[in-house]
Amino acid sequence: MKNVDKYARGYFMPPEMSLNWAKKEYITEAPTWCSVDLRDGNQALVVPMNLEEKLEYFQMLVEIGFKEIEVGFPAASETEYVFLRRLIEDNLIPDDVTIQVLTQSREHIIQKTFESLRGAKSAVVHLYNSTSVAQREQVFRKSKEEIIEIAVSGAKLLQKYAEETEGNFKFQYSPESFTGTEINFALDICNAVLDVWKPTADNKVIINLPATVEMSMPHVYASQIEYMSNHLDYRENVILSLHPHNDRGTGVADAELGLLAGGERIEGTLFGNGERTGNVDVVTLALNMFSHGVDPKLNFENILEIIEVYERMTKMKINERQPYAGKLVFAAFSGSHQDAIAKGMKWREEKDCEKWTVPYLLIDPKDIGREYEGDVIRINSQSGKGGIGYVLEQQYGLDLPPKMRESFGYIVKDESDKFQKELLPDEIYGIFMKEYVNVSTPVEFLHYAYTKSDDYETKVTVNIKGEVEELTGFGNGRFDAINNALQQKLGIQYSDLVYKEHAQETGSKSNAVSYVGITAADGSVYWGSGIDADIMTSSVKALCSAVNNLLKG
């Protein structure tokens, strides 16, 4: 590509390599989660949420299990100010939930922020100012010392107004654009703020290190976090928080490696909504932990309901391939994938497995409210016999013989290819019924009767092209006798008869399902199926269906 030389790596590695995080295998416990949907996410919407929408969204976040929720920038928006007052005055904040608000390091903004928080039972006041080289030089045109003074004066003002305001307050500081800041300068400014607040075991503060712009590969961010964690003053009384964005598409990786490197808290949004390419996706991050057997302490068991509220409130859509949440993320169209999933599911049933190990499915879709039917096995022209057979078995109780699955699979794939569309389960079932079940032309089975002597003598009544005839056959059983009668009357020969039967559903009123395959003289195999309350009748109907398919060629 042209112009590649104009780009430079704008991040800063720590002065000493910090790689202890790389020795850890996985995240062993959930971080403290802080949803920033109602601030960072909301300000990124084309049409921000109104008051009633914000109230509904807040309630959903509480139900999911968030214990910290950033509710806005009350000094910058009248809607957010009114929303915050409504939460406090109407006692809508549960006792175990802490709200968070954002403020710049400017006295009139800090003053109005504390006015909005009057009477809050538990609130985090989040102070920030930008510290990166680009921001210092291009936007503020200030020295490092002047940038530190902005942060320190803001920290002092937070203390002042907290003492004068009714409520219970905690403090948080973010060196905004941390990833573009020299690491030692980021450390200096954070320690300067900590020297003002002097956190204790009973009054901890939050230092939040945001990837305001994601500028490096995730391992660099992790090394930056580990270095800061190792060198922050008052470390035992500091909660180290991460706020990754997704400019490079690795926000989740930044968060995961950052947690290994010492992060204890995550600020993010549902489905990654946020400025530019978005914030870290809390749903993906939490369910990644879940897939490793770690309780994320957030409840996404009703993911479809959460998606409905999210899309209605934000006017945004979940991508079909969004991890865990997208409509197609559990779907398998490939024949080999479908076959592996179907066999994996059967293995679980047979072995009564405790752990989830089904091929191609990272987690059990049912654990987040998704269904196997319509979510996992999806049928189109790329599908195979395993997936098609799985759909019929799971939804309609039809367990086809393996070779019949293969034959039917070609019919379904041709149908999908012909109309260039995915086939729904009901459509697949309809094709099966039309092609194989109780086929009655040109030979329609009516009824039979038999007597047992040395050989079974069986009389079968059929309608052949409008004429009713009674045929007599002999064999080593009723089915064999009817089979012989049909071959003799119709003047046909076939061999290698395949037969299978089962109950379509449990209970005394269940239908019997039979499958019959016959091989014609030229080697072609023809299949038929019969469904009836009587097992023998279903068998004869299956045989007649196979014969009819042979006659039709």
Side-chain angles (χ1 to χ4, degrees), residues 150-233:
I150 291 172
V152 167
S153 64
K156 291 176 180 178
L157 287 168
L158 257 62
Q159 283 184 318
K160 172 181 181 294
Y161 283 99
E163 292 172 359
E164 298 172 356
T165 305
E166 175 194 357
N168 182 20
F169 308 112
K170 302 174 185 177
F171 300 149
Q172 172 173 325
Y173 174 69
S174 289
E176 193 210 355
S177 58
F178 163 75
T179 46
T181 303
E182 307 94 319
I183 297 301
N184 279 335
F185 179 58
L187 183 64
D188 288 343
I189 197 167
C190 289
N191 281 336
V193 169
L194 291 172
D195 278 337
V196 174
W197 288 340
K198 294 181 169 48
T200 66
D202 295 328
N203 188 24
K204 293 186 177 184
V205 301
I206 301 167
I207 293 294
N208 185 58
L209 302 176
T212 308
V213 178
E214 196 179 35
M215 305 177 75
S216 69
M217 294 175 69
H219 74 288
V220 173
Y221 184 63
S223 294
Q224 293 169 336
I225 298 302
E226 187 165 276
Y227 182 82
M228 293 290 287
S229 179
N230 290 340
H231 292 86
L232 280 171
D233 294 339

Coordinates of all heavy atoms in Angstrom, one line a residue, residues 150-233:
I150 N -2.8 19.9 36.2 CA -4.3 19.7 35.9 C -4.8 18.6 36.7 O -5.9 18.7 37.3 CB -4.5 19.5 34.4 CG1 -4.1 20.8 33.6 CG2 -5.9 19.1 34.2 CD1 -4.1 20.6 32.1
A151 N -4.1 17.4 36.7 CA -4.6 16.3 37.4 C -4.6 16.5 38.9 O -5.6 16.1 39.6 CB -3.7 15.1 37.1
V152 N -3.6 17.1 39.5 CA -3.5 17.3 40.9 C -4.5 18.3 41.4 O -5.2 18.0 42.5 CB -2.0 17.8 41.3 CG1 -2.0 18.3 42.7 CG2 -1.0 16.6 41.1
S153 N -4.7 19.3 40.7 CA -5.7 20.3 41.1 C -7.1 19.7 41.1 O -8.0 19.9 42.0 CB -5.7 21.6 40.2 OG -6.0 21.2 38.9
G154 N -7.4 18.9 40.1 CA -8.7 18.2 40.0 C -8.8 17.2 41.2 O -9.9 17.1 41.8
A155 N -7.8 16.5 41.5 CA -7.8 15.6 42.7 C -8.2 16.3 43.9 O -9.0 15.8 44.8 CB -6.5 14.8 42.8
K156 N -7.6 17.4 44.1 CA -7.8 18.2 45.3 C -9.3 18.7 45.4 O -10.0 18.8 46.4 CB -6.9 19.4 45.4 CG -5.4 19.0 45.7 CD -4.5 20.2 45.7 CE -3.1 19.8 45.9 NZ -2.1 20.9 45.9
L157 N -9.8 19.1 44.2 CA -11.2 19.6 44.1 C -12.2 18.5 44.4 O -13.2 18.7 45.0 CB -11.5 20.2 42.7 CG -10.8 21.6 42.5 CD1 -10.9 21.9 41.0 CD2 -11.5 22.7 43.3
L158 N -11.9 17.3 44.0 CA -12.7 16.1 44.3 C -12.8 16.0 45.8 O -13.9 15.8 46.4 CB -12.2 14.9 43.7 CG -13.0 14.4 42.4 CD1 -12.9 15.4 41.3 CD2 -12.4 13.1 41.9
Q159 N -11.7 16.1 46.5 CA -11.7 16.0 48.0 C -12.5 17.1 48.6 O -13.3 16.8 49.5 CB -10.3 16.1 48.5 CG -9.4 14.8 48.3 CD -8.1 14.9 49.0 OE1 -7.4 15.9 48.9 NE2 -7.6 13.9 49.6
K160 N -12.3 18.3 48.1 CA -13.0 19.5 48.7 C -14.6 19.3 48.5 O -15.3 19.4 49.5 CB -12.6 20.7 47.9 CG -13.4 22.0 48.3 CD -12.9 23.2 47.5 CE -13.6 24.5 47.8 NZ -15.0 24.5 47.4
Y161 N -15.0 19.0 47.3 CA -16.5 18.9 47.1 C -17.1 17.6 47.7 O -18.3 17.6 48.1 CB -16.8 19.0 45.6 CG -16.7 20.4 45.1 CD1 -15.6 20.9 44.5 CD2 -17.7 21.4 45.4 CE1 -15.4 22.2 44.0 CE2 -17.6 22.7 45.0 CZ -16.5 23.1 44.3 OH -16.4 24.4 43.9
A162 N -16.3 16.6 47.8 CA -16.8 15.4 48.5 C -17.1 15.6 50.0 O -18.1 15.1 50.5 CB -15.8 14.2 48.3
E163 N -16.2 16.4 50.6 CA -16.4 16.8 52.0 C -17.6 17.7 52.2 O -18.3 17.6 53.3 CB -15.2 17.5 52.5 CG -14.0 16.5 52.6 CD -12.7 17.3 53.0 OE1 -12.8 18.6 53.1 OE2 -11.6 16.7 53.1
E164 N -18.0 18.4 51.2 CA -19.1 19.4 51.3 C -20.4 18.9 50.8 O -21.5 19.5 51.0 CB -18.8 20.7 50.5 CG -17.5 21.4 51.0 CD -17.1 22.5 50.1 OE1 -17.8 22.7 49.0 OE2 -16.1 23.2 50.4
T165 N -20.4 17.6 50.3 CA -21.6 17.1 49.6 C -22.1 15.9 50.4 O -21.3 15.0 50.8 CB -21.4 16.7 48.2 OG1 -20.8 17.9 47.5 CG2 -22.6 16.3 47.5
E166 N -23.4 15.8 50.6 CA -24.1 14.7 51.2 C -23.9 13.4 50.3 O -24.3 13.5 49.1 CB -25.5 14.9 51.5 CG -26.3 13.7 52.0 CD -27.8 13.9 52.0 OE1 -28.3 15.0 51.5 OE2 -28.5 12.9 52.3
G167 N -23.4 12.4 50.8 CA -23.3 11.1 50.0 C -22.0 10.4 50.4 O -21.2 10.8 51.3
N168 N -21.8 9.3 49.7 CA -20.7 8.4 50.0 C -19.9 8.2 48.7 O -20.4 7.7 47.7 CB -21.2 7.0 50.5 CG -20.1 6.1 50.8 OD1 -18.9 6.5 51.0 ND2 -20.4 4.8 50.8
F169 N -18.7 8.8 48.7 CA -18.0 8.9 47.4 C -16.6 8.2 47.4 O -15.9 8.2 48.4 CB -17.8 10.4 47.1 CG -19.0 11.2 47.1 CD1 -19.2 12.1 48.1 CD2 -20.0 11.0 46.1 CE1 -20.4 12.9 48.1 CE2 -21.2 11.7 46.2 CZ -21.4 12.6 47.2
K170 N -16.3 7.6 46.3 CA -15.0 7.1 46.0 C -14.4 7.8 44.8 O -15.1 8.4 44.0 CB -15.1 5.6 45.7 CG -15.7 4.8 46.9 CD -15.9 3.3 46.4 CE -16.7 2.5 47.5 NZ -16.9 1.1 47.1
F171 N -13.1 7.7 44.7 CA -12.4 8.5 43.6 C -11.7 7.5 42.6 O -11.2 6.5 43.0 CB -11.3 9.4 44.2 CG -11.9 10.4 45.1 CD1 -11.1 10.9 46.2 CD2 -13.1 10.9 45.0 CE1 -11.6 11.9 47.1 CE2 -13.6 11.9 45.9 CZ -12.8 12.4 46.9
Q172 N -11.7 8.0 41.4 CA -11.0 7.3 40.3 C -10.3 8.3 39.4 O -10.8 9.3 39.1 CB -12.0 6.5 39.4 CG -11.4 5.8 38.2 CD -12.4 4.9 37.5 OE1 -13.2 4.3 38.1 NE2 -12.3 4.9 36.1
Y173 N -9.1 7.9 39.0 CA -8.4 8.8 38.1 C -7.9 8.0 36.9 O -7.5 6.9 36.9 CB -7.1 9.4 38.7 CG -6.3 10.1 37.8 CD1 -6.7 11.3 37.2 CD2 -5.0 9.6 37.3 CE1 -6.0 12.0 36.3 CE2 -4.3 10.3 36.4 CZ -4.8 11.5 35.8 OH -4.0 12.2 34.9
S174 N -8.1 8.6 35.7 CA -7.6 8.0 34.4 C -6.7 9.0 33.7 O -7.1 10.2 33.4 CB -8.8 7.8 33.5 OG -9.6 6.7 33.9
P175 N -5.5 8.6 33.4 CA -4.6 9.3 32.4 C -5.1 9.0 31.0 O -4.7 8.0 30.4 CB -3.2 8.8 32.7 CG -3.4 7.4 33.2 CD -4.8 7.4 33.9
E176 N -6.1 9.8 30.6 CA -6.7 9.5 29.3 C -5.6 9.4 28.2 O -4.6 10.1 28.3 CB -7.7 10.6 28.9 CG -8.6 10.1 27.7 CD -9.0 11.3 26.9 OE1 -8.8 12.5 27.2 OE2 -9.7 11.0 25.8
S177 N -5.8 8.6 27.2 CA -4.8 8.3 26.1 C -3.5 7.7 26.7 O -2.4 8.0 26.3 CB -4.5 9.5 25.3 OG -4.0 10.6 26.0
F178 N -3.7 6.9 27.8 CA -2.6 6.2 28.4 C -1.6 5.5 27.5 O -0.4 5.6 27.6 CB -3.1 5.2 29.5 CG -2.1 4.2 30.0 CD1 -1.1 4.6 30.9 CD2 -2.2 2.9 29.5 CE1 -0.2 3.7 31.3 CE2 -1.3 2.0 30.0 CZ -0.3 2.3 30.9
T179 N -2.2 4.9 26.4 CA -1.4 4.1 25.5 C -0.5 4.9 24.7 O 0.5 4.4 24.1 CB -2.3 3.2 24.6 OG1 -3.4 4.0 24.1 CG2 -2.9 2.0 25.4
G180 N -0.7 6.2 24.6 CA 0.2 7.1 23.8 C 1.1 7.9 24.7 O 1.6 8.9 24.3
T181 N 1.1 7.5 26.0 CA 1.9 8.3 27.0 C 3.1 7.6 27.4 O 3.1 6.3 27.5 CB 1.0 8.5 28.3 OG1 -0.2 9.1 27.9 CG2 1.7 9.3 29.3
E182 N 4.2 8.3 27.6 CA 5.4 7.7 28.1 C 5.1 7.0 29.4 O 4.5 7.6 30.3 CB 6.6 8.7 28.3 CG 6.9 9.5 27.0 CD 6.1 10.9 27.0 OE1 4.9 10.8 27.4 OE2 6.7 11.9 26.7
I183 N 5.6 5.8 29.6 CA 5.2 5.0 30.7 C 5.6 5.7 32.0 O 4.8 5.7 33.0 CB 5.7 3.6 30.7 CG1 5.2 2.8 29.5 CG2 5.4 2.8 32.0 CD1 3.6 2.7 29.4
N184 N 6.8 6.2 32.1 CA 7.2 6.8 33.4 C 6.5 8.1 33.6 O 6.2 8.4 34.8 CB 8.7 7.1 33.3 CG 9.5 5.8 33.7 OD1 9.0 4.9 34.3 ND2 10.8 5.8 33.2
F185 N 6.0 8.8 32.6 CA 5.2 10.0 32.8 C 3.8 9.6 33.3 O 3.3 10.2 34.2 CB 5.1 10.8 31.6 CG 4.2 12.1 31.8 CD1 4.5 13.0 32.8 CD2 3.1 12.2 31.0 CE1 3.7 14.1 33.0 CE2 2.3 13.3 31.2 CZ 2.6 14.3 32.2
A186 N 3.3 8.5 32.7 CA 2.0 8.0 33.2 C 2.1 7.6 34.7 O 1.2 7.9 35.5 CB 1.5 6.8 32.4
L187 N 3.2 7.0 35.1 CA 3.4 6.6 36.4 C 3.5 7.8 37.3 O 2.9 7.9 38.4 CB 4.7 5.7 36.5 CG 5.0 5.2 37.9 CD1 3.9 4.2 38.4 CD2 6.4 4.5 37.9
D188 N 4.2 8.8 36.9 CA 4.4 10.0 37.7 C 3.1 10.7 37.9 O 2.8 11.2 39.1 CB 5.4 11.0 37.0 CG 6.8 10.5 37.0 OD1 7.2 9.7 37.8 OD2 7.6 11.1 36.2
I189 N 2.3 10.9 36.9 CA 1.0 11.6 37.1 C 0.0 10.8 38.0 O -0.7 11.4 38.8 CB 0.4 12.0 35.7 CG1 -0.6 13.1 35.9 CG2 -0.2 10.8 35.0 CD1 -1.1 13.8 34.6
C190 N 0.0 9.5 37.8 CA -0.8 8.7 38.7 C -0.4 8.8 40.1 O -1.2 8.9 41.1 CB -0.9 7.2 38.2 SG -1.8 7.0 36.7
N191 N 0.9 8.7 40.4 CA 1.4 8.8 41.7 C 1.2 10.1 42.3 O 1.0 10.3 43.6 CB 2.9 8.4 41.8 CG 3.1 6.9 41.7 OD1 2.2 6.1 42.1 ND2 4.3 6.5 41.2
A192 N 1.2 11.2 41.5 CA 1.0 12.5 42.0 C -0.5 12.6 42.5 O -0.8 13.3 43.6 CB 1.2 13.6 40.9
V193 N -1.4 12.0 41.8 CA -2.8 12.0 42.2 C -3.0 11.2 43.5 O -3.7 11.6 44.4 CB -3.7 11.5 41.1 CG1 -5.1 11.2 41.6 CG2 -3.7 12.5 39.9
L194 N -2.3 10.1 43.5 CA -2.4 9.2 44.7 C -1.8 9.9 45.9 O -2.3 9.7 47.1 CB -1.6 7.9 44.5 CG -2.3 6.9 43.4 CD1 -1.3 5.8 43.1 CD2 -3.6 6.4 44.0
D195 N -0.8 10.8 45.8 CA -0.3 11.5 46.9 C -1.3 12.5 47.4 O -1.2 12.9 48.6 CB 1.0 12.2 46.5 CG 2.2 11.3 46.5 OD1 2.2 10.3 47.2 OD2 3.2 11.6 45.8
V196 N -2.2 12.9 46.6 CA -3.3 13.8 47.1 C -4.3 13.0 47.8 O -4.7 13.4 48.9 CB -3.9 14.6 45.9 CG1 -5.1 15.4 46.4 CG2 -2.9 15.5 45.2
W197 N -4.7 11.9 47.3 CA -5.8 11.2 47.9 C -5.4 10.3 49.0 O -6.2 9.9 49.9 CB -6.5 10.3 46.8 CG -7.3 11.1 45.8 CD1 -7.8 12.3 46.0 CD2 -7.7 10.7 44.5 NE1 -8.5 12.8 44.9 CE2 -8.4 11.8 44.0 CE3 -7.5 9.6 43.7 CZ2 -9.0 11.7 42.7 CZ3 -8.0 9.5 42.4 CH2 -8.8 10.6 41.9
K198 N -4.1 9.8 49.0 CA -3.6 9.0 50.1 C -4.5 7.8 50.4 O -5.1 7.8 51.5 CB -3.2 9.8 51.3 CG -2.1 10.8 51.1 CD -1.7 11.6 52.3 CE -0.4 12.3 52.1 NZ -0.3 13.1 50.9
P199 N -4.7 6.9 49.5 CA -5.7 5.8 49.8 C -5.2 4.9 50.9 O -4.1 4.8 51.2 CB -5.7 5.1 48.4 CG -4.3 5.4 47.8 CD -4.0 6.8 48.2
T200 N -6.2 4.4 51.6 CA -6.0 3.4 52.7 C -6.8 2.1 52.4 O -7.6 2.0 51.5 CB -6.5 4.0 54.0 OG1 -7.9 4.2 53.9 CG2 -5.8 5.4 54.3
A201 N -6.6 1.2 53.3 CA -7.3 -0.1 53.1 C -8.8 0.1 53.2 O -9.6 -0.7 52.6 CB -6.8 -1.1 54.2
D202 N -9.2 1.1 54.0 CA -10.6 1.3 54.2 C -11.2 2.3 53.2 O -12.4 2.6 53.1 CB -10.9 1.9 55.6 CG -10.6 0.8 56.7 OD1 -10.8 -0.4 56.4 OD2 -10.2 1.2 57.8
N203 N -10.3 2.9 52.4 CA -10.7 4.0 51.5 C -9.8 3.9 50.2 O -9.0 4.7 49.9 CB -10.6 5.4 52.1 CG -11.2 6.4 51.2 OD1 -12.1 6.1 50.3 ND2 -10.8 7.6 51.3
K204 N -10.0 2.8 49.5 CA -9.2 2.5 48.3 C -9.7 3.5 47.2 O -10.8 4.0 47.1 CB -9.3 1.1 47.8 CG -8.7 0.1 48.8 CD -8.7 -1.3 48.3 CE -8.0 -2.3 49.2 NZ -7.9 -3.6 48.7
V205 N -8.7 3.7 46.2 CA -9.1 4.5 45.0 C -8.8 3.6 43.8 O -8.1 2.6 43.9 CB -8.3 5.8 45.0 CG1 -8.5 6.7 46.2 CG2 -6.8 5.5 44.8
I206 N -9.4 4.1 42.7 CA -9.2 3.4 41.4 C -8.3 4.2 40.5 O -8.5 5.4 40.3 CB -10.6 3.2 40.7 CG1 -11.5 2.4 41.6 CG2 -10.4 2.5 39.4 CD1 -13.0 2.5 41.2
I207 N -7.3 3.5 40.0 CA -6.5 4.0 38.9 C -6.8 3.3 37.6 O -6.7 2.0 37.6 CB -4.9 3.9 39.2 CG1 -4.5 4.8 40.3 CG2 -4.1 4.3 37.9 CD1 -4.7 6.3 40.1
N208 N -7.4 4.0 36.7 CA -7.9 3.4 35.4 C -6.9 3.7 34.3 O -6.6 4.9 34.1 CB -9.3 4.0 35.1 CG -9.9 3.3 34.0 OD1 -10.1 2.1 33.9 ND2 -10.3 4.1 33.0
L209 N -6.4 2.7 33.6 CA -5.5 2.8 32.5 C -6.1 2.5 31.2 O -6.1 1.3 30.8 CB -4.2 2.0 32.8 CG -3.5 2.2 34.2 CD1 -2.4 1.2 34.4 CD2 -3.0 3.7 34.2
P210 N -6.6 3.5 30.5 CA -7.4 3.2 29.3 C -6.5 3.0 28.1 O -5.6 3.8 27.9 CB -8.3 4.4 29.2 CG -7.5 5.5 29.8 CD -6.7 4.9 30.9
A211 N -6.9 2.1 27.2 CA -6.4 2.1 25.8 C -7.4 3.0 25.1 O -8.2 2.5 24.3 CB -6.4 0.7 25.3
T212 N -7.3 4.3 25.3 CA -8.2 5.2 24.7 C -8.2 5.1 23.2 O -9.2 5.1 22.5 CB -7.9 6.7 25.1 OG1 -7.8 6.7 26.6 CG2 -8.9 7.7 24.6
V213 N -7.0 4.9 22.7 CA -6.8 4.5 21.3 C -5.9 3.3 21.4 O -4.8 3.3 21.9 CB -6.1 5.6 20.4 CG1 -5.9 5.1 19.0 CG2 -7.0 6.9 20.4
E214 N -6.4 2.2 20.8 CA -5.6 1.0 20.8 C -4.4 1.1 19.8 O -4.7 1.2 18.6 CB -6.5 -0.2 20.4 CG -5.9 -1.5 20.7 CD -6.9 -2.6 20.4 OE1 -7.6 -2.5 19.3 OE2 -7.0 -3.6 21.1
M215 N -3.2 1.2 20.3 CA -2.1 1.5 19.4 C -1.1 0.4 19.2 O -0.2 0.5 18.4 CB -1.4 2.8 20.0 CG -2.2 4.0 20.3 SD -1.4 5.3 21.0 CE -0.5 6.0 19.7
S216 N -1.1 -0.6 20.0 CA -0.1 -1.7 20.0 C -0.8 -3.0 20.0 O -2.0 -3.2 20.1 CB 0.8 -1.6 21.2 OG 0.1 -1.9 22.4
M217 N 0.1 -4.0 19.8 CA -0.4 -5.4 20.0 C -0.7 -5.6 21.5 O -0.1 -5.0 22.3 CB 0.7 -6.4 19.5 CG 0.9 -6.3 17.9 SD 2.2 -7.3 17.3 CE 1.5 -8.9 17.6
P218 N -1.6 -6.6 21.7 CA -2.0 -6.8 23.1 C -0.9 -7.1 24.1 O -1.0 -6.7 25.3 CB -3.0 -8.0 23.0 CG -3.5 -7.9 21.6 CD -2.3 -7.5 20.8
H219 N 0.2 -7.8 23.7 CA 1.2 -8.1 24.7 C 1.9 -6.8 25.2 O 2.5 -6.8 26.3 CB 2.2 -9.1 24.1 CG 3.2 -8.5 23.1 ND1 2.7 -8.1 21.8 CD2 4.5 -8.2 23.1 CE1 3.8 -7.6 21.1 NE2 4.8 -7.6 21.9
V220 N 2.0 -5.8 24.3 CA 2.6 -4.5 24.8 C 1.7 -3.8 25.8 O 2.3 -3.4 26.9 CB 2.8 -3.6 23.6 CG1 3.2 -2.2 24.0 CG2 3.7 -4.2 22.5
Y221 N 0.4 -3.8 25.6 CA -0.5 -3.3 26.6 C -0.3 -4.0 28.0 O -0.3 -3.4 29.0 CB -1.9 -3.3 26.1 CG -3.0 -2.7 27.0 CD1 -2.9 -1.3 27.3 CD2 -4.0 -3.5 27.6 CE1 -3.9 -0.8 28.2 CE2 -5.0 -2.9 28.4 CZ -4.9 -1.6 28.7 OH -5.9 -1.0 29.5
A222 N -0.2 -5.3 27.9 CA -0.1 -6.1 29.1 C 1.2 -5.8 29.8 O 1.2 -5.7 31.0 CB -0.1 -7.6 28.7
S223 N 2.3 -5.6 29.1 CA 3.5 -5.2 29.7 C 3.5 -3.8 30.3 O 4.0 -3.6 31.4 CB 4.7 -5.3 28.7 OG 4.9 -6.6 28.2
Q224 N 2.7 -2.9 29.7 CA 2.5 -1.6 30.3 C 1.8 -1.7 31.6 O 2.1 -1.0 32.6 CB 1.8 -0.7 29.3 CG 2.6 -0.4 28.0 CD 1.7 0.3 27.0 OE1 0.5 0.1 26.9 NE2 2.3 1.0 26.1
I225 N 0.7 -2.5 31.6 CA -0.1 -2.7 32.8 C 0.7 -3.3 33.9 O 0.6 -2.9 35.1 CB -1.4 -3.5 32.5 CG1 -2.3 -2.9 31.4 CG2 -2.1 -3.8 33.8 CD1 -2.7 -1.5 31.8
E226 N 1.5 -4.3 33.6 CA 2.3 -5.0 34.6 C 3.3 -4.0 35.2 O 3.5 -4.0 36.4 CB 2.9 -6.2 34.1 CG 3.6 -7.1 35.1 CD 4.0 -8.4 34.6 OE1 3.1 -9.3 34.7 OE2 5.1 -8.6 34.2
Y227 N 3.9 -3.2 34.4 CA 4.9 -2.3 34.9 C 4.2 -1.3 35.8 O 4.8 -1.0 36.9 CB 5.6 -1.5 33.7 CG 6.6 -0.6 34.2 CD1 7.9 -1.0 34.4 CD2 6.3 0.8 34.3 CE1 8.9 -0.1 34.9 CE2 7.3 1.7 34.7 CZ 8.6 1.3 35.0 OH 9.5 2.1 35.5
M228 N 3.1 -0.7 35.4 CA 2.4 0.2 36.3 C 1.9 -0.4 37.6 O 2.1 0.1 38.7 CB 1.1 0.8 35.5 CG 1.5 1.6 34.3 SD 2.2 3.2 34.8 CE 0.7 4.1 35.4
S229 N 1.5 -1.7 37.5 CA 1.0 -2.4 38.7 C 2.2 -2.6 39.7 O 2.0 -2.5 40.9 CB 0.4 -3.7 38.3 OG 0.1 -4.5 39.4
N230 N 3.4 -2.8 39.1 CA 4.5 -3.1 40.0 C 5.1 -1.8 40.6 O 5.8 -1.9 41.6 CB 5.6 -3.8 39.2 CG 5.3 -5.2 38.8 OD1 4.4 -5.8 39.5 ND2 5.9 -5.8 37.8
H231 N 4.8 -0.6 40.0 CA 5.5 0.6 40.4 C 4.6 1.7 41.0 O 5.0 2.7 41.5 CB 6.3 1.2 39.3 CG 7.5 0.3 38.9 ND1 7.4 -0.7 38.0 CD2 8.8 0.3 39.3 CE1 8.5 -1.3 37.9 NE2 9.4 -0.7 38.6
L232 N 3.3 1.5 41.0 CA 2.3 2.5 41.6 C 2.6 2.6 43.1 O 2.7 1.5 43.7 CB 0.9 2.1 41.3 CG 0.3 2.4 39.9 CD1 -1.1 1.7 39.8 CD2 0.2 3.9 39.7
D233 N 2.5 3.8 43.6 CA 2.6 4.0 45.0 C 1.2 3.5 45.6 O 0.2 3.4 44.9 CB 2.8 5.4 45.4 CG 4.2 5.9 45.0 OD1 5.1 5.0 44.8 OD2 4.4 7.1 44.8

